[in-house]
Amino acid sequence: MKNLFIKIAAVGLLMLAPAIAQAAEGYSTANVNMRAGPSTRYPAVAVIPTGSSVEIRGCLSDVNWCDVEFYGGRGWVSGQYVQALYQQRRVYVGPQYYRPLGIPMIRFSVDNYWDRYYRNRDFYRDRDRWSRGPDYYYRDRDNRDRDRDRDNRDRDRNWRERDGDRDGRDRDRDWRDDNQRDDRQRDDRQRGERQRDDRRGDDRRPDRRNFDCRPGDPSRDE
C-alpha cells in the first residue's frame, strides 16, 4: 500500500512538472512598462509597479526579454527589470538562469500573440505592419507622416495661391470701384460747375424789361 501511494505521488509530480516548467515567479525592480512585444518600440499595455509579483511564462533566447503575466494581463518586460529567487537570493533574469529557474525559451510572433491577447486594443488593427517588426512600423509611419506633411504643405500653398488670386481680384475690383467713384465725383463736380455757370450767365443777361420803351420815353424811336 505504501508503495502504491509513492507511485501515485510520483505520477502526480510528473503530471505537474510541465505546468511548473511553464512559469516562474519574478519581481519587478522598477515601475516598468509591460509591452506588446519584446522591444521598447512596441506599444505599452500596462505599468508594473516596483516590487510587484509577475509570472514569467518564457523568455527569448537571443534577447533578454520575457513574456510575463501580471494581474491576468500578458506582455513583455526586459529581463534587466525582473528578478527571481535563485538559491535563496534574488538574481536578475538572464539566459544563464532560464534552465535553473525552469523558464522555457520561446519565440515571439505578433500574429499569434496579438490574436490571443490584444484583439480589443487600438493598435491591433495595425498588426500587419507591426508583424514586420517595430522598425518597419515606425519607418512606415514616418513615411506616412512625411507624405501627410507634404500634402499639408501643398494644400497650404494652394490656399495661399488662391488667397493671393482672390486678393488680387479684390484689389482690382477696389481699383475699379475707386476709379468709377472718382469718375462719378468728377462728373458730379463738372455738372455742378456747369449749373453754377448757367446761373451766373442768367444773372449777367440783360433784363428785356429794361429795353421796353414806354410812351413818352424820349429814347423810343418814332
Side-chain angles (χ1 to χ4, degrees):
M1 183 65 67
K2 184 177 179 179
N3 291 335
L4 179 61
F5 282 124
I6 293 174
K7 290 180 180 180
I8 293 173
V11 171
L13 289 175
L14 289 174
M15 292 178 64
L16 289 174
I20 294 173
Q22 293 301 314
E25 186 176 11
Y27 304 89
S28 65
T29 60
N31 293 331
V32 61
N33 285 319
M34 185 169 68
R35 296 187 175 273
S39 169
T40 56
R41 296 174 71 86
Y42 282 103
V45 297
V47 176
I48 303 176
T50 303
S52 298
S53 176
V54 297
E55 292 293 325
I56 305 171
R57 296 296 181 179
C59 297
L60 300 178
S61 60
D62 52 345
V63 291
N64 190 20
W65 279 80
C66 297
D67 174 19
V68 303
E69 181 176 352
F70 176 68
Y71 276 97
R74 291 288 288 271
W76 291 81
V77 177
S78 172
Q80 63 181 336
Y81 296 108
V82 179
Q83 289 183 335
L85 190 63
Y86 176 69
Q87 295 181 352
Q88 305 303 317
R89 63 188 179 94
R90 288 188 177 185
V91 296
Y92 282 97
V93 175
Q96 68 273 29
Y97 295 111
Y98 291 170
R99 185 181 295 276
L101 292 173
I103 300 173
M105 286 186 290
I106 59 176
R107 295 181 179 181
F108 171 70
S109 169
V110 166
D111 294 333
N112 294 334
Y113 198 86
W114 287 22
D115 284 345
R116 187 176 301 174
Y117 301 114
Y118 300 137
R119 284 183 176 273
N120 61 337
R121 297 282 185 157
D122 291 339
F123 54 78
Y124 180 78
R125 63 176 177 266
D126 294 327
R127 66 188 180 282
D128 291 338
R129 284 196 295 270
W130 280 108
S131 64
R132 303 184 186 184
D135 292 336
Y136 175 86
Y137 172 80
Y138 280 101
R139 182 170 62 249
D140 182 56
R141 190 184 66 176
D142 292 342
N143 291 335
R144 285 182 281 123
D145 290 342
R146 283 195 295 271
D147 291 340
R148 184 173 61 250
D149 292 340
R150 184 169 59 251
D151 292 340
N152 290 336
R153 288 195 299 270
D154 293 341
R155 185 166 56 252
D156 291 340
R157 184 172 61 251
N158 293 335
W159 276 110
R160 287 195 299 270
E161 291 175 353
R162 284 195 292 270
D163 290 341
D165 294 339
R166 185 172 60 249
D167 292 341
R169 291 193 298 270
D170 291 341
R171 285 194 298 271
D172 293 340
R173 184 173 60 251
D174 293 340
W175 181 80
R176 289 194 299 270
D177 293 341
D178 291 340
N179 286 339
Q180 292 174 357
R181 185 168 56 253
D182 292 340
D183 291 341
R184 286 195 300 271
Q185 292 175 352
R186 185 170 56 254
D187 293 341
D188 293 341
R189 188 168 54 252
Q190 291 175 353
R191 188 180 304 108
E193 291 174 355
R194 285 196 299 272
Q195 290 174 353
R196 286 196 298 274
D197 291 342
D198 291 342
R199 284 196 296 272
R200 284 197 297 271
D202 292 340
D203 294 340
R204 290 193 301 270
R205 189 179 298 113
D207 192 349
R208 292 184 58 85
R209 290 177 300 179
N210 296 334
F211 293 94
D212 290 339
C213 297
R214 291 187 294 272
D217 187 349
S219 61
R220 181 178 179 182
D221 294 337
E222 295 297 336

